[in-house]
């Protein structure tokens, strides 16, 4: 793809790995943008707003670059499941999600300030968990490092212990919807 220099505004190693499927060369500059208050918005809005904030924070410093910001939200109905505070919080989240279907929504922002261009979208995947035993939850929490992941799990990290099925993009659940991102970037190029 013939894009301006690309920056990923994220420290997530999963997003770095996934973006390599779309763009060969890019820089990684994590964004420290504050995240919005969730009570005021839907999960879909929160994911996009936070993705935009992350991209904008970096784009202000690098206006000639195409900056990609992303934010993943896990929710069930109106209840959000952020990154757990500790192992006990992770166990609580997994108990609450056990045997149920929840949504994973990733908002993505493509922002090029110098060119006055922006694309903002969100992708949703429905994830159904197995009924989890206390032993399965404990095993997952002690072996999969769930503390840095929304919803206290990563589908790529022993996800087979937890996930019964998904409806939608697998890479979206990992933190970056590769299929949709590729399509959006191709549309970006076509609009030049």
């Amino acid at each position: 793809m013939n894009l301006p220099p690309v920056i990923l505004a994220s420290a997530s190693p999963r997003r770095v790995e996934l973006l390599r499927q779309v763009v060969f060369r890019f820089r990684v500059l994590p964004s420290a943008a504050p995240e919005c208050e969730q009570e005021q918005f839907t999960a879909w809005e929160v994911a996009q707003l936070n993705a935009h904030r992350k991209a904008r924070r970096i784009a202000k410093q690098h206006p000639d670059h195409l900056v990609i910001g992303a934010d993943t939200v896990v929710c069930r109905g109106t209840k959000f499941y952020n990154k757990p505070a500790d192992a006990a919080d992770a166990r609580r989240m997994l108990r609450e999600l056990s045997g149920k279907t929840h949504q994973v929504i990733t908002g993505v922002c493509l922002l090029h300030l110098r060119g006055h261009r922006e694309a903002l979208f969100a992708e949703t995947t429905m994830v159904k968990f197995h009924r989890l035993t206390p032993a399965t939850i404990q095993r997952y929490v002690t072996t999969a490092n769930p503390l840095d992941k929304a919803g206290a799990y990563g589908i790529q990290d022993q996800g087979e212990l937890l996930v019964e099925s998904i409806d939608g993009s697998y890479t979206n659940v990992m933190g970056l919807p590769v299929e949709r991102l590729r399509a959006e970037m191709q549309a970006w190029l076509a609009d030049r």
Side-chain angles (χ1 to χ4, degrees), residues 116-180:
H116 304 285
R117 294 191 65 195
E118 176 180 287
L120 186 61
F121 63 91
E123 194 70 24
T124 301
T125 302
M126 303 301 289
V127 180
K128 182 174 184 187
F129 269 17
H130 296 291
R131 289 207 177 277
L132 305 176
T133 65
T136 300
I137 290 171
Q138 183 59 33
R139 176 180 168 197
Y140 188 81
V141 169
T142 57
T143 61
N145 189 23
L147 300 183
D148 69 337
K149 298 167 183 76
Y153 77 98
I155 196 167
Q156 71 284 357
D157 296 328
Q158 302 178 45
E160 67 280 358
L161 292 174
L162 311 175
V163 177
E164 180 177 312
S165 64
I166 69 166
D167 182 9
S169 168
Y170 179 85
T171 60
N172 184 54
V173 182
M174 288 178 66
L176 195 65
V178 169
E179 309 84 358
R180 177 79 183 269

Coordinates of all heavy atoms in Angstrom, one line a residue, residues 116-180:
H116 N -5.9 16.5 6.5 CA -7.3 16.7 7.0 C -8.2 15.5 6.7 O -9.3 15.7 6.2 CB -7.9 18.0 6.3 CG -7.0 19.2 6.6 ND1 -7.0 19.8 7.8 CD2 -6.2 19.9 5.8 CE1 -6.2 20.9 7.7 NE2 -5.7 20.9 6.5
R117 N -7.6 14.3 7.0 CA -8.4 13.1 6.7 C -8.5 12.2 7.9 O -7.6 12.2 8.7 CB -7.7 12.3 5.6 CG -7.7 13.0 4.3 CD -7.2 12.1 3.1 NE -8.2 11.0 2.9 CZ -7.9 10.0 2.2 NH1 -6.7 9.8 1.7 NH2 -8.8 9.0 2.1
E118 N -9.7 11.6 8.0 CA -10.0 10.8 9.2 C -11.0 9.7 8.8 O -11.9 10.0 8.0 CB -10.5 11.6 10.3 CG -10.9 10.8 11.5 CD -11.5 11.7 12.6 OE1 -10.7 12.4 13.3 OE2 -12.7 11.7 12.8
A119 N -10.8 8.5 9.3 CA -11.8 7.4 9.1 C -11.9 6.8 10.5 O -10.9 6.6 11.2 CB -11.3 6.4 8.2
L120 N -13.2 6.7 10.9 CA -13.5 6.2 12.3 C -14.5 5.1 12.2 O -15.5 5.3 11.5 CB -14.0 7.3 13.2 CG -14.2 7.1 14.6 CD1 -12.9 6.6 15.3 CD2 -14.8 8.3 15.3
F121 N -14.2 3.9 12.7 CA -15.2 2.8 12.7 C -15.1 1.9 13.9 O -14.1 2.0 14.6 CB -15.0 2.0 11.4 CG -13.7 1.3 11.2 CD1 -13.5 0.0 11.7 CD2 -12.6 2.0 10.6 CE1 -12.3 -0.6 11.6 CE2 -11.4 1.4 10.5 CZ -11.2 0.1 11.0
A122 N -16.0 1.1 14.0 CA -16.0 0.1 15.1 C -16.5 -1.3 14.6 O -17.4 -1.3 13.7 CB -16.9 0.5 16.3
E123 N -15.9 -2.3 15.1 CA -16.3 -3.7 14.7 C -16.7 -4.4 15.9 O -16.1 -4.3 17.0 CB -15.1 -4.4 14.0 CG -15.4 -5.6 13.3 CD -16.1 -5.4 12.0 OE1 -16.1 -4.3 11.4 OE2 -16.8 -6.4 11.6
T124 N -17.8 -5.2 15.8 CA -18.3 -6.0 16.9 C -18.3 -7.5 16.7 O -18.6 -7.9 15.6 CB -19.8 -5.6 17.2 OG1 -19.9 -4.1 17.5 CG2 -20.4 -6.3 18.4
T125 N -17.8 -8.2 17.7 CA -17.8 -9.7 17.6 C -18.6 -10.2 18.9 O -18.3 -9.7 20.0 CB -16.4 -10.2 17.6 OG1 -15.7 -9.7 16.5 CG2 -16.4 -11.7 17.5
M126 N -19.4 -11.1 18.7 CA -20.1 -11.8 19.8 C -19.3 -13.0 20.2 O -18.9 -13.8 19.4 CB -21.6 -12.2 19.3 CG -22.4 -11.1 18.8 SD -22.7 -9.7 20.0 CE -23.7 -10.5 21.1
V127 N -19.1 -13.1 21.5 CA -18.3 -14.2 22.0 C -19.1 -14.9 23.1 O -19.6 -14.3 24.0 CB -17.0 -13.7 22.7 CG1 -16.2 -14.8 23.3 CG2 -16.2 -12.9 21.7
K128 N -19.2 -16.3 22.9 CA -19.9 -17.1 23.9 C -18.9 -17.9 24.7 O -18.1 -18.6 24.1 CB -20.9 -18.0 23.2 CG -21.7 -18.8 24.2 CD -22.8 -19.6 23.6 CE -23.6 -20.3 24.8 NZ -24.6 -21.2 24.3
F129 N -19.0 -17.8 26.0 CA -18.1 -18.6 26.9 C -18.8 -20.0 27.2 O -20.0 -20.1 27.3 CB -17.9 -17.9 28.2 CG -16.7 -17.0 28.2 CD1 -16.1 -16.5 27.0 CD2 -16.2 -16.5 29.4 CE1 -15.0 -15.7 27.1 CE2 -15.1 -15.7 29.4 CZ -14.5 -15.3 28.3
H130 N -17.9 -20.9 27.4 CA -18.3 -22.2 28.0 C -18.8 -21.9 29.4 O -18.5 -20.9 30.0 CB -17.1 -23.2 28.1 CG -16.5 -23.6 26.9 ND1 -17.2 -24.4 26.0 CD2 -15.3 -23.4 26.3 CE1 -16.4 -24.7 24.9 NE2 -15.2 -24.0 25.1
R131 N -19.5 -22.9 30.0 CA -19.8 -22.8 31.5 C -18.4 -23.1 32.1 O -17.9 -24.2 31.9 CB -20.8 -23.7 31.9 CG -22.2 -23.3 31.4 CD -23.3 -23.8 32.3 NE -24.6 -23.4 31.9 CZ -25.1 -22.2 32.2 NH1 -24.4 -21.4 32.9 NH2 -26.3 -21.8 31.7
L132 N -17.9 -22.2 32.9 CA -16.6 -22.3 33.5 C -16.6 -22.8 34.9 O -17.4 -22.3 35.7 CB -15.8 -21.0 33.4 CG -15.7 -20.3 32.1 CD1 -15.1 -18.9 32.2 CD2 -15.0 -21.2 31.1
T133 N -15.8 -23.8 35.2 CA -15.7 -24.3 36.6 C -14.8 -23.4 37.3 O -13.9 -22.8 36.7 CB -15.2 -25.8 36.6 OG1 -13.9 -25.8 36.1 CG2 -16.1 -26.7 35.8
P134 N -14.9 -23.4 38.6 CA -13.9 -22.6 39.4 C -12.5 -23.1 39.1 O -11.6 -22.2 39.1 CB -14.3 -22.9 40.9 CG -15.7 -23.2 40.8 CD -15.9 -24.0 39.5
A135 N -12.2 -24.4 38.9 CA -10.9 -24.8 38.6 C -10.4 -24.3 37.2 O -9.2 -23.9 37.1 CB -10.9 -26.4 38.6
T136 N -11.3 -24.2 36.2 CA -10.9 -23.7 34.9 C -10.6 -22.2 35.1 O -9.6 -21.7 34.5 CB -12.0 -23.9 33.9 OG1 -12.3 -25.3 33.8 CG2 -11.6 -23.3 32.6
I137 N -11.4 -21.5 35.8 CA -11.1 -20.0 36.0 C -9.8 -19.8 36.7 O -9.0 -19.0 36.3 CB -12.3 -19.4 36.8 CG1 -13.5 -19.3 35.9 CG2 -11.9 -18.0 37.3 CD1 -14.8 -18.9 36.6
Q138 N -9.5 -20.6 37.7 CA -8.3 -20.5 38.5 C -7.1 -20.8 37.6 O -6.1 -20.1 37.6 CB -8.3 -21.4 39.7 CG -7.0 -21.2 40.6 CD -6.8 -19.8 41.1 OE1 -7.7 -19.1 41.3 NE2 -5.5 -19.4 41.2
R139 N -7.2 -21.9 36.8 CA -6.1 -22.3 35.9 C -5.8 -21.1 34.9 O -4.7 -20.8 34.6 CB -6.5 -23.5 35.2 CG -5.5 -24.0 34.1 CD -5.9 -25.2 33.4 NE -5.1 -25.4 32.2 CZ -5.4 -26.3 31.3 NH1 -6.5 -27.0 31.3 NH2 -4.6 -26.4 30.2
Y140 N -6.9 -20.6 34.3 CA -6.7 -19.5 33.3 C -6.1 -18.3 34.0 O -5.1 -17.7 33.4 CB -8.1 -19.1 32.7 CG -7.9 -18.1 31.6 CD1 -7.5 -18.6 30.3 CD2 -7.9 -16.8 31.8 CE1 -7.2 -17.7 29.3 CE2 -7.7 -15.9 30.7 CZ -7.3 -16.4 29.5 OH -7.0 -15.5 28.5
V141 N -6.5 -17.9 35.1 CA -6.0 -16.7 35.8 C -4.5 -16.9 36.1 O -3.7 -15.9 36.0 CB -6.9 -16.3 37.0 CG1 -6.2 -15.2 37.8 CG2 -8.2 -15.8 36.5
T142 N -4.1 -18.1 36.5 CA -2.7 -18.3 37.0 C -1.8 -18.5 35.8 O -0.6 -18.4 35.9 CB -2.6 -19.4 38.0 OG1 -3.2 -20.6 37.4 CG2 -3.3 -19.1 39.3
T143 N -2.3 -18.9 34.6 CA -1.4 -19.2 33.5 C -1.5 -18.3 32.3 O -0.6 -18.3 31.5 CB -1.7 -20.7 33.0 OG1 -3.0 -20.8 32.5 CG2 -1.4 -21.7 34.1
A144 N -2.5 -17.5 32.2 CA -2.7 -16.7 31.0 C -2.5 -15.2 31.1 O -2.6 -14.5 30.1 CB -4.1 -17.0 30.4
N145 N -2.2 -14.7 32.3 CA -1.9 -13.3 32.5 C -3.1 -12.4 32.0 O -2.9 -11.7 31.1 CB -0.6 -12.9 31.9 CG -0.2 -11.5 32.3 OD1 -0.6 -11.0 33.3 ND2 0.6 -10.8 31.5
P146 N -4.2 -12.5 32.6 CA -5.4 -11.7 32.2 C -5.4 -10.3 32.6 O -6.3 -9.6 32.2 CB -6.5 -12.5 32.8 CG -6.0 -13.0 34.1 CD -4.5 -13.3 33.8
L147 N -4.5 -9.8 33.4 CA -4.6 -8.5 34.0 C -4.4 -7.3 33.0 O -4.9 -6.2 33.3 CB -3.6 -8.4 35.2 CG -3.7 -9.4 36.3 CD1 -2.7 -9.1 37.4 CD2 -5.1 -9.4 36.8
D148 N -3.9 -7.6 31.9 CA -3.7 -6.5 30.9 C -4.7 -6.5 29.8 O -4.5 -5.9 28.7 CB -2.3 -6.4 30.4 CG -1.9 -7.6 29.5 OD1 -2.6 -8.7 29.6 OD2 -1.0 -7.5 28.6
K149 N -5.8 -7.3 30.0 CA -6.8 -7.4 28.9 C -8.2 -7.1 29.4 O -8.6 -7.5 30.5 CB -6.7 -8.9 28.5 CG -5.4 -9.3 27.9 CD -5.3 -10.8 27.7 CE -3.9 -11.2 27.2 NZ -2.9 -11.2 28.2
A150 N -8.9 -6.4 28.6 CA -10.3 -6.1 28.8 C -11.1 -7.4 28.9 O -10.8 -8.3 28.1 CB -10.9 -5.2 27.7
G151 N -11.9 -7.5 29.9 CA -12.7 -8.7 30.1 C -11.9 -9.8 30.8 O -12.4 -10.9 31.0
A152 N -10.7 -9.6 31.1 CA -9.8 -10.5 31.9 C -9.4 -11.8 31.0 O -9.1 -12.8 31.6 CB -10.4 -11.0 33.2
Y153 N -9.5 -11.6 29.7 CA -9.0 -12.8 28.9 C -8.5 -12.3 27.5 O -8.9 -11.2 27.0 CB -10.2 -13.8 28.7 CG -11.2 -13.4 27.6 CD1 -11.1 -13.8 26.3 CD2 -12.2 -12.5 27.9 CE1 -12.1 -13.5 25.4 CE2 -13.2 -12.1 27.0 CZ -13.1 -12.6 25.7 OH -14.0 -12.2 24.8
G154 N -7.7 -13.1 26.9 CA -7.2 -12.9 25.6 C -7.6 -14.2 24.8 O -7.1 -15.3 25.2
I155 N -8.3 -14.1 23.7 CA -8.7 -15.3 23.0 C -7.5 -16.0 22.5 O -7.6 -17.3 22.3 CB -9.7 -14.9 21.9 CG1 -10.5 -16.1 21.4 CG2 -9.0 -14.1 20.7 CD1 -11.6 -15.9 20.5
Q156 N -6.4 -15.3 22.2 CA -5.2 -16.0 21.7 C -4.4 -16.6 22.8 O -3.4 -17.4 22.5 CB -4.4 -15.0 20.9 CG -3.7 -13.9 21.8 CD -4.6 -12.8 22.3 OE1 -5.7 -12.8 22.0 NE2 -4.0 -11.9 23.1
D157 N -4.7 -16.4 24.1 CA -4.0 -16.9 25.2 C -4.8 -18.0 25.9 O -5.6 -17.7 26.8 CB -3.6 -15.8 26.2 CG -2.7 -14.8 25.6 OD1 -1.9 -15.1 24.8 OD2 -2.8 -13.6 26.0
Q158 N -4.7 -19.2 25.4 CA -5.5 -20.3 26.0 C -7.0 -20.1 25.9 O -7.8 -20.5 26.8 CB -5.1 -20.6 27.4 CG -3.6 -21.0 27.5 CD -3.2 -21.2 29.0 OE1 -3.9 -21.9 29.7 NE2 -2.1 -20.6 29.4
G159 N -7.4 -19.3 24.9 CA -8.9 -19.0 24.8 C -9.8 -20.2 24.7 O -10.9 -20.1 25.0
E160 N -9.2 -21.3 24.2 CA -10.0 -22.5 24.1 C -10.6 -23.0 25.4 O -11.6 -23.7 25.5 CB -9.2 -23.6 23.4 CG -8.1 -24.2 24.2 CD -6.8 -23.3 24.1 OE1 -6.8 -22.3 23.5 OE2 -5.8 -23.7 24.8
L161 N -9.9 -22.6 26.5 CA -10.5 -23.0 27.8 C -11.8 -22.2 28.1 O -12.6 -22.7 28.9 CB -9.4 -22.6 28.9 CG -8.1 -23.4 29.0 CD1 -7.2 -22.8 30.0 CD2 -8.4 -24.8 29.3
L162 N -11.9 -21.0 27.5 CA -13.0 -20.2 27.9 C -14.1 -20.1 26.8 O -15.3 -20.1 27.1 CB -12.5 -18.8 28.1 CG -11.4 -18.6 29.1 CD1 -11.0 -17.1 29.1 CD2 -11.7 -19.1 30.5
V163 N -13.7 -20.0 25.5 CA -14.6 -19.6 24.4 C -15.2 -20.8 23.8 O -14.5 -21.7 23.3 CB -13.8 -18.8 23.4 CG1 -14.7 -18.4 22.2 CG2 -13.2 -17.5 24.0
E164 N -16.5 -20.8 23.8 CA -17.3 -21.8 23.1 C -17.4 -21.5 21.6 O -17.2 -22.4 20.7 CB -18.7 -22.0 23.7 CG -19.5 -23.1 23.1 CD -20.8 -23.2 23.8 OE1 -20.8 -23.3 25.0 OE2 -21.9 -23.3 23.1
S165 N -17.8 -20.2 21.3 CA -17.9 -19.9 19.9 C -17.8 -18.3 19.8 O -18.0 -17.6 20.7 CB -19.3 -20.3 19.4 OG -20.3 -19.7 20.1
I166 N -17.6 -17.9 18.5 CA -17.6 -16.5 18.2 C -18.4 -16.3 17.0 O -18.5 -17.1 16.1 CB -16.2 -15.8 18.1 CG1 -15.5 -16.3 16.8 CG2 -15.3 -16.1 19.3 CD1 -14.3 -15.5 16.4
D167 N -19.0 -15.1 16.9 CA -19.8 -14.7 15.7 C -19.2 -13.3 15.3 O -19.5 -12.3 15.9 CB -21.3 -14.5 16.0 CG -22.1 -14.1 14.8 OD1 -21.5 -14.1 13.6 OD2 -23.3 -13.8 14.9
G168 N -18.3 -13.3 14.3 CA -17.6 -12.1 13.9 C -16.1 -12.4 13.7 O -15.7 -13.5 13.6
S169 N -15.4 -11.3 13.7 CA -13.9 -11.3 13.5 C -13.1 -11.8 14.7 O -13.2 -11.2 15.8 CB -13.5 -9.9 13.1 OG -12.1 -9.8 13.1
Y170 N -12.3 -12.8 14.5 CA -11.4 -13.3 15.5 C -10.4 -12.3 15.9 O -10.1 -12.0 17.1 CB -10.8 -14.6 15.0 CG -9.8 -15.2 16.0 CD1 -10.2 -16.1 17.0 CD2 -8.4 -15.0 15.9 CE1 -9.3 -16.6 17.9 CE2 -7.5 -15.5 16.8 CZ -8.0 -16.4 17.8 OH -7.1 -16.9 18.7
T171 N -9.8 -11.6 14.9 CA -8.8 -10.6 15.1 C -9.3 -9.4 15.9 O -8.6 -8.7 16.6 CB -8.1 -10.2 13.8 OG1 -9.0 -9.6 12.9 CG2 -7.3 -11.3 13.2
N172 N -10.6 -9.1 15.7 CA -11.3 -8.1 16.5 C -11.2 -8.4 18.0 O -11.0 -7.5 18.8 CB -12.7 -7.9 16.0 CG -13.4 -6.8 16.7 OD1 -12.9 -5.6 16.7 ND2 -14.5 -7.0 17.3
V173 N -11.4 -9.7 18.3 CA -11.4 -10.0 19.7 C -10.0 -9.9 20.3 O -9.8 -9.6 21.4 CB -11.9 -11.5 19.9 CG1 -11.9 -11.9 21.4 CG2 -13.3 -11.6 19.3
M174 N -9.0 -10.1 19.4 CA -7.6 -9.9 19.8 C -7.2 -8.4 20.0 O -6.2 -8.1 20.6 CB -6.6 -10.5 18.8 CG -6.6 -12.0 18.8 SD -5.6 -12.7 17.5 CE -4.0 -12.2 18.1
G175 N -8.0 -7.5 19.4 CA -7.7 -6.1 19.6 C -7.6 -5.2 18.3 O -7.4 -4.0 18.4
L176 N -7.7 -5.8 17.1 CA -7.6 -5.1 15.9 C -8.3 -5.8 14.8 O -7.8 -6.9 14.4 CB -6.2 -4.8 15.5 CG -5.9 -3.7 14.5 CD1 -6.4 -2.3 15.0 CD2 -4.4 -3.6 14.1
P177 N -9.4 -5.4 14.3 CA -10.1 -6.1 13.2 C -9.4 -6.0 11.9 O -9.7 -5.1 11.1 CB -11.5 -5.5 13.2 CG -11.3 -4.0 13.7 CD -10.1 -4.1 14.6
V178 N -8.6 -6.9 11.6 CA -7.7 -6.9 10.4 C -8.4 -6.8 9.1 O -8.1 -6.0 8.2 CB -6.7 -8.1 10.4 CG1 -5.9 -8.2 9.1 CG2 -5.7 -8.0 11.6
E179 N -9.5 -7.6 9.0 CA -10.2 -7.6 7.7 C -10.8 -6.2 7.4 O -10.7 -5.7 6.3 CB -11.3 -8.7 7.8 CG -10.9 -10.0 8.2 CD -10.8 -10.2 9.7 OE1 -11.1 -9.3 10.5 OE2 -10.5 -11.3 10.2
R180 N -11.5 -5.6 8.4 CA -12.1 -4.3 8.2 C -11.0 -3.2 8.1 O -11.2 -2.3 7.2 CB -13.0 -4.0 9.5 CG -13.6 -2.7 9.5 CD -14.9 -2.6 8.6 NE -15.4 -1.2 8.5 CZ -16.4 -0.8 9.3 NH1 -16.9 -1.6 10.3 NH2 -16.8 0.4 9.2

